Amino acid sequence: MIKILDARKGDELFLLGNEAAARAAIESGVTVASTYPGTPSSEIGDVLSRIASKAGLYFEFSTNEKVAVEVAAAAAASGVRSFTFMKHVGLNVASDSLVSIAYTGVEAGMVILSADDPSMFSSQNEQDNRHYARFANIPLLEPSNPQEILDFTKYAFNLSEKFKIPVLVRTTTRVSHMRSRVKVGEIKKMRKKGQFKKNPKRFVLVPSTAKTMHKELIKKTEKISKIVNKSPYNQHHKTHGGYGIITSGGAFNYTHDIINEKKLPISILKLGFTYPFPDKVVLRFIEDLEKVFIIEEVDPIIEKDVLSIIGRENLEVDVHGKLDGTFPRIYEYNQDIIEASIRKQIPLKIKRKEPLKAHLPERPPTFCPGCPHRAVYYSINKALEELEMDVIFSTDIGCYTLGIESPYNTADYLLSMGSSIGAACGFSKATRQKIVSFIGDSTFFHAGIPPLLNAIHNKHNFLIVILDNRTTAMTGGQPHPGLPFDGMGGEAPAIPIENIIEALDVKFKVINPMNIKKSIKAFKEALKMDSLNVVIARYPCQLSLKAKGKPVKVDNDLCNECLECINKLACPAIIYENGIKVNQKYCRGCAVCIQICPEKAIRPKRGSSR
Amino acid sequence: MKLSYDIYICGVGGQGIIKAGEIIGWAAMKEGMDVVMSEIHGMAQRGGVVSTDVRIGQAKGTIIPSGHADLMMAFEPLEALRAIDKIRKDAHLIVNLTPIPPFNINAGEYPPVDEIIEKLRRFSGNVYAFDADRVALEAGHPLSTNMAILGAATAMPDFPLSQDAIIESMKANLPSKLFKVNLKAFNRGFMSLEG
């Protein structure tokens, strides 16, 4: 981590794309940085969180992405550089302000990095955030590797400052999580504090001012259109007939590999600065071609711009992309997909191996041994079983979404951050079914409070279970407003969730989910209530706990193999291998299995101490 | 023409797979080679399948195409079989013999390990299977499995980096406190295949 800050100009580091983005912020003299953690962008914040104090910049984990983008916008409006970054769906949350920031513009450089997730490794959708550049009318850069993340982001700050417009940098999972050689540059000295110069005609968007500022925005875009055609990030050699490929971002890497490995006679135009669209560069590239392939992840965005150039210029070039079915419209690409797609249009001699068609057991991700979410789901399922009650589980975004898997089956509906409570409001009026919302602590702060107010005020009736594991777990353990420290490691006032609930006059109970008997009892009581009520299940994420509990073992003489521990609790540390056993390598000693064993065959290991 | 020497490292979240890849990649960079690698973070890490692709050479894409991997380092037998399409003909396969059954399958659904190894041998004549978990335990720390497998990989005849380069990288990329234990596991892994 420190290496990222201490490296000198010319040093070569082996950096993750996200680490390169953090270095770019330092090299660009960023004064204020903000984010809400989200894969695949999270490591940018993790790095800045550790080095911010030493680097002298201000960094925060904001409560959500909308707040993060507003923090950054005000900083840039005050004349200091700001950097905000988030996962693709986070930009949806921020978009209300993003579109306005394009209108007001900025005084110092402001860069927004959106890390998209083609193939949805850790997301609810694979939306293509390049649309946001067009939607908000702001410039867009698409790096392909960590070195480009560093270089393009630094360039984005200069561009932003020159034209007083926020700039979007779009990465994808494979680019953010690519590690490779990065030659670092000089660290730019930052301005410690800015000065906001009042100008309500620009910074207060009401109909009359917005009309002026939209006109200003279009003028800026037109000026940038000229630069984009001369950008070194959009260079190519002149083609003379034959086949060509236009590509960008991560898709370029696979294209490069296929073309070079197979030595295919196809020219490549790699676009790095893609909005405003570099139409002159593209026109020069395609005008003499017979066929052009457009290779991009995920939506046909460049493709549509190429088609519009062809229409306007009346060219006779075949365009093969997603719209004509040559390339898939979904998921990330790889060399195999690109090769197979190109083959549909050009006969290539390629031998193909038959893939292995063996049926293998799948290995979906699950809760860690010792995870409090497992205990919560076990207990609530027991409570429901005892009450003979069937409920809709309206869940939310976090590790606990893994409740979708058997044997828990505690996820029935999920849209986005905070939707557990908002959707429960709808279910409670539209159906006679009982509803349980699950929401994590960080997600509650992020987007759970407005729907909670809605639920109270509009007299909705359901149970909210707040899974308070004292961290933002899924993304690697970042802090949130409920914790007594901030994103730079300094002390901070913690906001107890129960204080919020209590102030709203809602019935609630705080439980320790690792106590199974008491949890089942609390859930039964809560489920029987005929009004909105809250259970806060509080126990820290086991990844944040340094010490293990006492080791446990199975007394196989007492065990009658009822399989409650395997089939209902499903802890990966409990295995069946000629009888039930506890795998000491994985067991965290959380003692939940001891409590649920009907035969009392699981016990603390004798003579063991902490 | 292949653009790079491709190493596919696979197993289950929490086995130290990314760290093993990082050590190889860093060593390659220090030796002046071009290298790209992929990492998996986020939801997939929670006990799911984890893999890292390390590509040393001119390749730019971090995904190893099917039939390309020159070396597979499988931290778990079932995961070796799941990824078998990645390897080229007669690639070197290093396979840890300790299985980690997925949490969601019933007893007996996990294929017998010797059957898995048998199947792997149909894809390559160069399968080296050993119990890396045991080697790690004997070396002094159960979490040094990844270094035992790295040691075995370094012993492969076509492995592009020297033992010294890897050890240098381990020094730079592992906590100094655990270096001794890790080096022991690495050496035992190296010997287990050499011997």
Side-chain angles (χ1 to χ4, degrees):
Chain A
M1 289 296 169
I2 294 302
K3 267 188 248 168
I4 296 169
L5 180 60
D6 290 347
R8 300 232 184 114
K9 188 182 174 185
D11 284 355
E12 290 186 334
L13 303 178
F14 193 46
L15 292 187
L16 200 62
N18 282 337
E19 294 171 344
R23 173 76 190 189
I26 310 284
E27 288 188 22
S28 303
V30 163
T31 304
V32 171
S34 56
T35 190
Y36 180 83
T39 311
S41 76
S42 307
E43 297 79 17
I44 309 174
D46 292 344
V47 174
L48 288 178
S49 165
R50 273 173 219 156
I51 65 177
S53 310
K54 202 175 169 210
L57 65 84
Y58 174 75
F59 168 72
E60 72 170 41
F61 288 111
S62 306
T63 31
N64 65 36
E65 294 86 354
K66 182 169 183 288
V67 177
V69 84
E70 287 155 1
V71 167
S78 306
V80 293
R81 286 188 167 190
S82 68
F83 184 37
T84 185
F85 42 92
M86 54 203 66
K87 69 182 294 169
H88 58 330
V89 287
L91 202 54
N92 296 340
V93 178
S95 63
D96 201 355
S97 286
L98 175 75
V99 176
S100 293
I101 301 161
Y103 276 39
T104 64
V106 292
E107 277 301 293
M110 174 178 176
V111 173
I112 302 132
L113 185 147
S114 163
D116 293 7
D117 192 17
S119 282
M120 297 155 282
F121 290 91
S122 279
S123 305
Q124 68 267 39
N125 73 34
E126 59 174 347
Q127 67 183 50
D128 186 335
N129 273 11
R130 296 179 300 164
H131 288 296
Y132 269 117
R134 285 153 174 86
F135 189 62
N137 232 323
I138 56 176
L140 172 68
L141 291 140
E142 293 185 61
S144 303
N145 57 49
Q147 182 73 57
E148 286 189 356
I149 290 181
L150 175 65
D151 297 343
F152 286 21
T153 306
K154 282 166 68 180
Y155 173 74
F157 276 105
N158 293 333
L159 183 74
S160 166
E161 200 154 294
K162 186 168 177 199
F163 291 95
K164 301 195 183 306
I165 189 170
V167 175
L168 183 64
V169 173
R170 185 253 194 171
T171 65
T172 52
T173 299
R174 295 288 181 175
V175 177
S176 287
H177 288 163
M178 175 190 297
R179 193 179 283 281
S180 67
R181 181 198 309 266
V182 174
K183 197 170 190 174
V184 302
E186 199 134 29
I187 291 176
K188 187 177 149 76
K189 246 189 123 176
M190 62 168 78
R191 278 187 73 183
K192 282 257 183 283
K193 287 282 172 196
Q195 173 82 23
F196 179 66
K197 292 194 191 103
K198 294 186 184 189
N199 183 358
K201 285 188 177 160
R202 173 179 170 195
F203 288 115
V204 182
L205 293 175
V206 291
S208 59
T209 55
K211 276 181 186 166
T212 315
M213 293 320 292
H214 194 193
K215 201 196 279 177
E216 289 299 313
L217 175 59
I218 297 303
K219 272 194 217 158
K220 289 176 190 174
T221 314
E222 280 167 0
K223 279 187 200 155
I224 299 167
S225 299
K226 288 178 189 139
I227 294 180
V228 81
N229 281 302
K230 291 179 194 137
S231 170
Y233 302 148
N234 295 330
Q235 287 304 307
H236 75 96
H237 303 290
K238 178 73 189 147
T239 51
H240 299 282
Y243 303 152
I245 290 173
I246 301 176
T247 180
S248 73
F252 161 74
N253 297 328
Y254 316 125
T255 306
H256 163 276
D257 288 357
I258 280 297
I259 299 303
N260 286 284
E261 189 181 306
K262 310 282 178 194
K263 297 198 187 313
L264 302 178
I266 307 181
S267 324
I268 300 177
L269 168 59
K270 173 186 184 294
L271 297 178
F273 188 172
T274 56
Y275 189 79
F277 194 66
D279 51 352
K280 293 199 172 60
V281 175
V282 169
L283 175 60
R284 234 169 70 89
F285 181 73
I286 60 173
E287 58 191 355
D288 297 326
L289 291 178
E290 190 184 316
K291 279 181 196 294
V292 62
F293 296 90
I294 316 295
I295 307 181
E296 58 188 323
E297 292 168 326
V298 172
D299 287 343
I301 294 177
I302 293 177
E303 185 178 356
K304 284 184 181 167
D305 275 322
V306 170
L307 284 168
S308 80
I309 293 171
I310 288 172
R312 199 169 60 223
E313 302 292 331
N314 218 352
L315 301 176
E316 283 187 25
V317 186
D318 292 342
V319 178
H320 298 299
K322 294 166 191 276
L323 296 172
D324 72 332
T326 302
F327 290 88
R329 287 190 74 144
I330 52 172
Y331 310 154
E332 69 170 7
Y333 286 174
N334 59 38
Q335 298 91 334
D336 295 332
I337 291 170
I338 292 173
E339 186 180 329
S341 300
I342 292 176
R343 262 160 53 95
K344 291 182 190 166
Q345 303 300 338
I346 327 179
L348 299 173
K349 274 189 219 147
I350 299 162
K351 308 186 282 213
R352 290 217 69 83
K353 269 199 329 189
E354 272 305 295
L356 169 80
K357 285 197 191 90
H359 174 75
L360 299 176
E362 285 184 27
R363 190 187 297 279
T366 185
F367 303 116
C368 307
C371 175
H373 299 329
R374 172 181 291 106
V376 168
Y377 289 156
Y378 177 86
S379 299
I380 200 157
N381 277 330
K382 278 282 153 204
L384 288 165
E385 206 179 292
E386 286 173 27
L387 295 172
E388 292 181 16
M389 202 183 262
D390 184 34
V391 300
I392 302 172
F393 291 111
S394 183
T395 194
D396 225 302
I397 299 211
C399 288
Y400 50 95
T401 321
L402 292 171
I404 190 174
E405 296 290 346
S406 263
Y408 315 111
N409 304 314
T410 46
D412 295 317
Y413 196 76
L414 167 64
L415 302 173
S416 62
M417 292 285 283
S419 75
S420 59
I421 302 178
C425 294
F427 287 128
S428 96
K429 293 294 177 196
T431 73
R432 288 199 177 85
Q433 289 162 281
K434 187 93 190 163
I435 306 128
V436 176
S437 287
F438 290 116
I439 186 165
D441 42 349
S442 193
T443 308
F444 178 73
F445 287 112
H446 177 289
I449 297 170
L452 173 62
L453 303 183
N454 185 72
I456 298 164
H457 183 70
N458 291 311
K459 303 180 290 286
H460 294 287
N461 176 6
F462 55 97
L463 166 62
I464 301 172
V465 180
I466 301 177
L467 301 146
D468 183 4
N469 64 353
R470 314 300 293 148
T471 189
T472 314
M474 175 65 89
T475 48
Q478 295 82 2
H480 60 61
L483 300 170
F485 52 92
D486 61 24
M488 289 168 73
E491 272 181 44
I495 301 160
I497 293 172
E498 56 268 45
N499 289 12
I500 299 173
I501 310 291
E502 198 167 18
L504 297 171
D505 221 6
V506 177
K507 282 192 201 108
F508 75 96
K509 188 165 187 135
V510 182
I511 63 165
N512 171 4
M514 306 314 266
N515 186 323
I516 298 297
K517 207 170 157 186
K518 283 190 180 163
S519 297
I520 295 173
K521 187 168 170 267
F523 283 131
K524 277 168 78 174
E525 284 166 11
L527 285 162
K528 280 191 277 189
M529 266 186 231
D530 197 27
S531 63
L532 185 78
N533 74 105
V534 175
V535 171
I536 301 171
R538 177 169 297 145
Y539 196 79
C541 168
Q542 69 83 28
L543 291 173
S544 69
L545 294 175
K546 292 268 181 300
K548 276 192 194 185
K550 285 182 188 166
V552 302
K553 62 164 228 168
V554 183
D555 183 335
N556 291 98
D557 292 335
L558 286 178
C559 173
N560 67 358
E561 300 194 0
C562 70
L563 301 182
E564 178 80 6
C565 55
I566 297 224
N567 291 343
K568 297 283 170 66
L569 192 62
C571 171
I574 305 175
I575 47 174
Y576 190 91
E577 215 180 75
N578 306 319
I580 309 246
K581 289 199 173 80
V582 173
N583 185 335
Q584 299 302 335
K585 190 170 166 184
Y586 301 116
C587 177
R588 299 284 302 177
C590 73
V592 166
C593 55
I594 295 176
Q595 301 167 59
I596 64 116
C597 177
E599 304 304 318
K600 307 215 174 324
I602 309 179
R603 312 163 156 185
K605 239 178 162 174
R606 206 177 314 201
S608 64
S609 57
R610 268 172 199 274
Chain B
M1 187 198 65
K2 264 187 108 241
L3 299 174
S4 50
Y5 182 86
D6 295 335
I7 307 170
Y8 190 73
I9 314 177
C10 57
V12 179
Q15 287 192 297
I17 288 161
I18 294 176
K19 193 41 102 179
E22 197 185 333
I23 289 170
I24 297 172
W26 191 91
M29 186 188 83
K30 284 288 158 182
E31 296 290 302
M33 303 169 185
D34 283 325
V35 56
V36 293
M37 72 174 270
S38 65
E39 297 187 6
I40 285 184
H41 297 261
M43 192 183 238
Q45 275 181 297
R46 303 281 177 266
V49 180
V50 165
S51 64
T52 275
D53 310 48
V54 184
R55 313 192 72 196
I56 301 172
Q58 297 309 307
K60 289 186 189 291
T62 54
I63 302 173
I64 297 175
S66 61
H68 273 59
D70 300 282
L71 169 64
M72 179 194 278
M73 294 159 64
F75 284 49
E76 205 280 340
L78 180 63
E79 295 315 314
L81 195 56
R82 198 191 304 284
I84 200 67
D85 290 339
K86 286 274 177 193
I87 66 159
R88 69 165 167 79
K89 196 169 169 284
D90 289 328
H92 290 91
L93 261 69
I94 295 166
V95 187
N96 182 10
L97 286 170
T98 301
I100 304 176
F103 76 99
N104 60 333
I105 63 170
N106 295 322
E109 273 182 59
Y110 191 98
V113 173
D114 47 356
E115 264 176 39
I116 294 180
I117 303 298
E118 194 45 50
K119 273 191 190 150
L120 293 174
R121 289 196 202 282
R122 280 184 231 155
F123 289 88
S124 167
N126 301 312
V127 176
Y128 307 91
F130 76 114
D131 190 344
D133 279 47
R134 209 188 62 210
V135 169
L137 206 60
E138 285 167 4
H141 204 297
L143 291 180
S144 58
T145 304
N146 57 348
M147 293 302 111
I149 293 171
L150 179 61
T154 311
M156 287 294 116
D158 62 345
F159 192 72
L161 293 155
S162 71
Q163 205 180 345
D164 287 349
I166 293 291
I167 292 174
E168 206 50 46
S169 181
M170 284 167 63
K171 263 186 208 155
N173 293 293
L174 292 171
S176 50
K177 205 167 59 177
L178 292 174
F179 177 72
K180 250 187 159 167
V181 149
N182 277 316
L183 184 64
K184 209 167 163 189
F186 174 87
N187 284 332
R188 283 180 182 228
F190 188 91
M191 308 272 261
S192 70
L193 292 208
E194 256 214 335

Short mmCIF file of all heavy atoms in Angstrom, two decimals, chain B residues 138-165:
data_model
loop_
_atom_site.label_atom_id
_atom_site.label_comp_id
_atom_site.label_asym_id
_atom_site.label_seq_id
_atom_site.Cartn_x
_atom_site.Cartn_y
_atom_site.Cartn_z
N GLU B 138 3.10 -30.05 7.67
CA GLU B 138 4.41 -30.52 8.13
C GLU B 138 5.44 -29.40 8.16
O GLU B 138 6.34 -29.39 8.98
CB GLU B 138 4.89 -31.66 7.23
CG GLU B 138 4.16 -32.97 7.50
CD GLU B 138 4.39 -34.03 6.42
OE1 GLU B 138 5.20 -33.77 5.49
OE2 GLU B 138 3.77 -35.09 6.51
N ALA B 139 5.25 -28.46 7.26
CA ALA B 139 6.19 -27.33 7.22
C ALA B 139 5.94 -26.38 8.39
O ALA B 139 6.78 -25.55 8.70
CB ALA B 139 6.06 -26.60 5.90
N GLY B 140 4.74 -26.47 8.97
CA GLY B 140 4.51 -25.65 10.17
C GLY B 140 3.31 -24.75 10.14
O GLY B 140 2.97 -24.15 11.15
N HIS B 141 2.63 -24.61 9.01
CA HIS B 141 1.45 -23.75 8.99
C HIS B 141 0.46 -24.22 7.92
O HIS B 141 0.82 -24.29 6.74
CB HIS B 141 1.84 -22.30 8.72
CG HIS B 141 0.82 -21.33 9.23
ND1 HIS B 141 -0.47 -21.31 8.74
CD2 HIS B 141 0.89 -20.38 10.18
CE1 HIS B 141 -1.15 -20.38 9.37
NE2 HIS B 141 -0.35 -19.79 10.26
N PRO B 142 -0.79 -24.55 8.34
CA PRO B 142 -1.74 -25.09 7.35
C PRO B 142 -2.04 -24.10 6.22
O PRO B 142 -2.47 -24.50 5.15
CB PRO B 142 -3.00 -25.37 8.19
CG PRO B 142 -2.84 -24.60 9.46
CD PRO B 142 -1.36 -24.49 9.70
N LEU B 143 -1.82 -22.80 6.46
CA LEU B 143 -2.15 -21.83 5.42
C LEU B 143 -1.01 -21.64 4.40
O LEU B 143 -1.08 -20.76 3.55
CB LEU B 143 -2.53 -20.49 6.05
CG LEU B 143 -3.86 -20.50 6.82
CD1 LEU B 143 -4.17 -19.13 7.39
CD2 LEU B 143 -5.03 -20.94 5.93
N SER B 144 0.04 -22.47 4.52
CA SER B 144 1.12 -22.33 3.52
C SER B 144 0.96 -23.32 2.37
O SER B 144 1.88 -23.53 1.59
CB SER B 144 2.49 -22.48 4.19
OG SER B 144 2.59 -23.73 4.85
N THR B 145 -0.25 -23.90 2.23
CA THR B 145 -0.54 -24.79 1.11
C THR B 145 -0.17 -24.14 -0.22
O THR B 145 0.38 -24.77 -1.11
CB THR B 145 -2.05 -25.14 1.10
OG1 THR B 145 -2.39 -25.69 2.36
CG2 THR B 145 -2.39 -26.11 0.00
N ASN B 146 -0.50 -22.85 -0.34
CA ASN B 146 -0.24 -22.18 -1.61
C ASN B 146 1.26 -22.16 -1.94
O ASN B 146 1.65 -22.28 -3.09
CB ASN B 146 -0.86 -20.77 -1.65
CG ASN B 146 -0.39 -19.86 -0.52
OD1 ASN B 146 0.25 -20.31 0.44
ND2 ASN B 146 -0.70 -18.58 -0.64
N MET B 147 2.10 -22.05 -0.91
CA MET B 147 3.54 -22.01 -1.18
C MET B 147 4.07 -23.40 -1.53
O MET B 147 5.01 -23.53 -2.31
CB MET B 147 4.28 -21.43 0.03
CG MET B 147 3.98 -19.96 0.28
SD MET B 147 4.38 -18.91 -1.14
CE MET B 147 2.74 -18.41 -1.66
N ALA B 148 3.45 -24.45 -0.95
CA ALA B 148 3.84 -25.82 -1.31
C ALA B 148 3.56 -26.05 -2.80
O ALA B 148 4.38 -26.62 -3.52
CB ALA B 148 3.09 -26.82 -0.45
N ILE B 149 2.39 -25.59 -3.24
CA ILE B 149 2.03 -25.77 -4.65
C ILE B 149 2.92 -24.90 -5.55
O ILE B 149 3.35 -25.32 -6.62
CB ILE B 149 0.53 -25.47 -4.86
CG1 ILE B 149 -0.29 -26.55 -4.13
CG2 ILE B 149 0.18 -25.44 -6.34
CD1 ILE B 149 -1.77 -26.28 -4.06
N LEU B 150 3.22 -23.71 -5.07
CA LEU B 150 4.12 -22.83 -5.83
C LEU B 150 5.50 -23.48 -5.97
O LEU B 150 6.12 -23.42 -7.04
CB LEU B 150 4.23 -21.47 -5.13
CG LEU B 150 5.15 -20.43 -5.76
CD1 LEU B 150 4.69 -20.08 -7.18
CD2 LEU B 150 5.18 -19.15 -4.92
N GLY B 151 5.95 -24.13 -4.89
CA GLY B 151 7.24 -24.82 -4.94
C GLY B 151 7.23 -25.91 -6.01
O GLY B 151 8.16 -26.00 -6.83
N ALA B 152 6.15 -26.68 -6.04
CA ALA B 152 6.03 -27.74 -7.04
C ALA B 152 6.03 -27.15 -8.45
O ALA B 152 6.67 -27.68 -9.36
CB ALA B 152 4.76 -28.54 -6.78
N ALA B 153 5.32 -26.02 -8.62
CA ALA B 153 5.25 -25.39 -9.94
C ALA B 153 6.64 -24.95 -10.40
O ALA B 153 7.01 -25.12 -11.57
CB ALA B 153 4.31 -24.18 -9.90
N THR B 154 7.39 -24.42 -9.45
CA THR B 154 8.72 -23.91 -9.79
C THR B 154 9.64 -25.05 -10.24
O THR B 154 10.60 -24.82 -10.98
CB THR B 154 9.31 -23.17 -8.57
OG1 THR B 154 8.32 -22.26 -8.08
CG2 THR B 154 10.55 -22.37 -8.94
N ALA B 155 9.34 -26.26 -9.80
CA ALA B 155 10.15 -27.42 -10.19
C ALA B 155 9.81 -27.96 -11.58
O ALA B 155 10.51 -28.82 -12.10
CB ALA B 155 9.97 -28.52 -9.15
N MET B 156 8.76 -27.43 -12.18
CA MET B 156 8.38 -27.91 -13.52
C MET B 156 9.46 -27.58 -14.53
O MET B 156 10.02 -26.48 -14.52
CB MET B 156 7.08 -27.23 -13.97
CG MET B 156 5.84 -27.72 -13.24
SD MET B 156 5.52 -29.43 -13.64
CE MET B 156 5.76 -30.15 -12.04
N PRO B 157 9.73 -28.52 -15.46
CA PRO B 157 10.85 -28.30 -16.39
C PRO B 157 10.72 -27.03 -17.24
O PRO B 157 11.72 -26.37 -17.51
CB PRO B 157 10.85 -29.55 -17.26
CG PRO B 157 9.58 -30.28 -16.94
CD PRO B 157 9.15 -29.85 -15.59
N ASP B 158 9.50 -26.68 -17.67
CA ASP B 158 9.39 -25.51 -18.55
C ASP B 158 8.96 -24.24 -17.82
O ASP B 158 8.63 -23.24 -18.43
CB ASP B 158 8.43 -25.80 -19.71
CG ASP B 158 7.02 -26.10 -19.22
OD1 ASP B 158 6.85 -26.36 -18.00
OD2 ASP B 158 6.09 -26.06 -20.04
N PHE B 159 8.96 -24.27 -16.50
CA PHE B 159 8.56 -23.08 -15.73
C PHE B 159 9.53 -21.93 -16.05
O PHE B 159 10.74 -22.10 -15.96
CB PHE B 159 8.59 -23.41 -14.22
CG PHE B 159 7.92 -22.36 -13.37
CD1 PHE B 159 6.54 -22.22 -13.36
CD2 PHE B 159 8.66 -21.51 -12.56
CE1 PHE B 159 5.92 -21.27 -12.58
CE2 PHE B 159 8.06 -20.56 -11.76
CZ PHE B 159 6.68 -20.44 -11.77
N PRO B 160 9.00 -20.78 -16.42
CA PRO B 160 9.88 -19.74 -16.99
C PRO B 160 10.69 -18.93 -15.98
O PRO B 160 11.44 -18.05 -16.37
CB PRO B 160 8.89 -18.83 -17.73
CG PRO B 160 7.61 -19.02 -17.03
CD PRO B 160 7.59 -20.40 -16.49
N LEU B 161 10.54 -19.21 -14.69
CA LEU B 161 11.24 -18.41 -13.69
C LEU B 161 12.10 -19.30 -12.80
O LEU B 161 11.71 -20.44 -12.49
CB LEU B 161 10.23 -17.64 -12.83
CG LEU B 161 9.46 -16.57 -13.58
CD1 LEU B 161 8.13 -16.28 -12.91
CD2 LEU B 161 10.29 -15.30 -13.70
N SER B 162 13.21 -18.78 -12.36
CA SER B 162 14.12 -19.56 -11.54
C SER B 162 13.60 -19.64 -10.10
O SER B 162 12.80 -18.80 -9.67
CB SER B 162 15.50 -18.93 -11.54
OG SER B 162 15.47 -17.73 -10.78
N GLN B 163 14.11 -20.62 -9.38
CA GLN B 163 13.75 -20.78 -7.98
C GLN B 163 14.12 -19.51 -7.20
O GLN B 163 13.37 -19.04 -6.35
CB GLN B 163 14.53 -21.97 -7.45
CG GLN B 163 13.90 -22.65 -6.27
CD GLN B 163 14.76 -23.81 -5.80
OE1 GLN B 163 15.65 -24.28 -6.52
NE2 GLN B 163 14.49 -24.28 -4.61
N ASP B 164 15.30 -18.96 -7.52
CA ASP B 164 15.76 -17.75 -6.82
C ASP B 164 14.81 -16.58 -7.06
O ASP B 164 14.51 -15.81 -6.14
CB ASP B 164 17.17 -17.36 -7.30
CG ASP B 164 18.23 -18.31 -6.76
OD1 ASP B 164 17.87 -19.12 -5.87
OD2 ASP B 164 19.37 -18.27 -7.24
N ALA B 165 14.37 -16.43 -8.29
CA ALA B 165 13.47 -15.30 -8.62
C ALA B 165 12.18 -15.42 -7.83
O ALA B 165 11.64 -14.42 -7.34
CB ALA B 165 13.19 -15.28 -10.12
#
